[in-house]
Amino acid sequence: ADGRWRLPATADQVDPLYRAMLMAYEDKRFETHHGVDPRALARGVWQLISNGRVVSGGSTLTMQVARLLEDGATGEWSGKLRQIRLALALERQLTKDEIFTLYLNLAPMGGNIEGLRAASLAYFAHEPNRLTPAEAALLIALPQAPTSRRPDRFNAAATVARNRVLARAVEAQIISADDAIAARTTPVPSLRRDFPALAPHLADALVAGAAPGTVIPTTINATLQAQLQTLLAARAPAFGDRVTAAALVADHQTGEILAYVGSSDFFSDPRRGAIDMVQAVRSPGSTLKPLIYGLAFEGGFAHPETLIDDRPMAFGTYAPQNFDGGFRGEITVREALQQSLNIPAVALLDAIGPAHLVARMRRAGVTAQLPRNTAPDLPIALGGLGVTLNDMVNIYAAIARGGRTAELHTTPGPVALPPTAPVLDAAAAWQVGDILWGAPPPAESPIRTLAFKTGTSYGYRDAWAIGFDGQHV
């Protein structure tokens, strides 16, 4: 709530080198004292008397934790007794690892960064389980003066402080002199890195209602997720600042969702980036046509090589047009689907029955949203209903699985599917896949590597592309 980055870490999640260097620099007798180090405290008092100012406060790591817990002043002797009392109490109640963990999570690291894990990610873009001597030294130096040593603002001061820690580590024989020389040649980061934000829409949904600190495993492939987020973020700007993009990738054999990109820029207001477009209800355009053709094959109304007319037709008062306004005449059903012609699709749906299509969608786990108080009608062939990207991937996953329902999920482990009739019979699903496999590919893409279909929703508001291979949808 206060805008600070705090990411929990425990003692066993931190590179042992960091702990050894920290104790050498901050509290050599941490493992043996009971919260207060009399020798260090006496040295601090003597330096105060000799110099007329505080040179070193004699604080132990436990006393620093006490100060961080109560947000007390630094170097003020008036508060030192209070810190000593709290430090003694902490040592009576907690183990050394628990006290060290408190320091890991509370130490100020510059700006709104608190704790070792947040600092490691902000300055080095990786977790603190592996730290170089240069990285560990900087993270030890920062809490002593987090404002004046912020590497992104006062890089020179941060470098001097880091090198001081390295020198102390050499004296304590924790690192070699050669290691220290090499570490001093490493530049201190001058910029803060962005924090990882993989699948933020999915993460928001999964943590809703979960207890704070709960670890929730997912099926997401982090590498694929990062690649897709980068790809969509790079491509969306070409379409204007109010356009976003979303993607969902699943293993249709297991049902595991491997990548979930709800928008191209989660933090963009013009793109409404916080809206999860994987779950947003939209018009699917022509992407429902493969299911229509599959039902036609299954019901014996057509075969991929059946000839069908693409000519002006009226179905009562409904007179659909092709996307380009033209007509192809007599063509095969295969060609009609590959060219995404509207009139043949509507004609086949008229034979099948719109209600039959909606019922098969339910078998795939899809509850289509129709205009209020209306029954399924022929315009649904061209996108006249509401579905989500998640819904459409479910339908295509079923086609890829030979018509069998696929239960997409984001949490690991097998999903027990209730006994349901197939979305399509196996022969019809294969025929649809074979047709889509032969569709003209996008520019610069190899042919016959993916069975896919595109679609454009009403008013050109949405562009869709959904496909599958032997494993992924």
Side-chain angles (χ1 to χ4, degrees), residues 61 96 104-105 134 145 165 173 193 201 248 250 262 319 322 329 405 441 459:
L61 199 71
K96 292 291 185 179
L104 293 179
N105 292 312
V165 175
Q173 298 183 340
R193 311 291 187 90
H201 299 87
L248 191 68
N322 285 324
T405 301

Side-chain angles (χ1 to χ4, degrees), residues 254-272:
T254 65
E256 293 185 345
I257 290 176
L258 306 178
Y260 187 119
V261 186
S263 70
S264 57
D265 186 349
F266 184 74
F267 298 103
S268 171
D269 288 333
R271 300 184 194 282
R272 304 294 190 266

Side-chain angles (χ1 to χ4, degrees), residues 4 15 35 52 95 121 236 253 259 328-329 408 463:
R4 295 182 181 274
D15 194 320
T95 66
L121 288 165
Q253 296 300 318
R328 307 302 189 277
L408 303 186

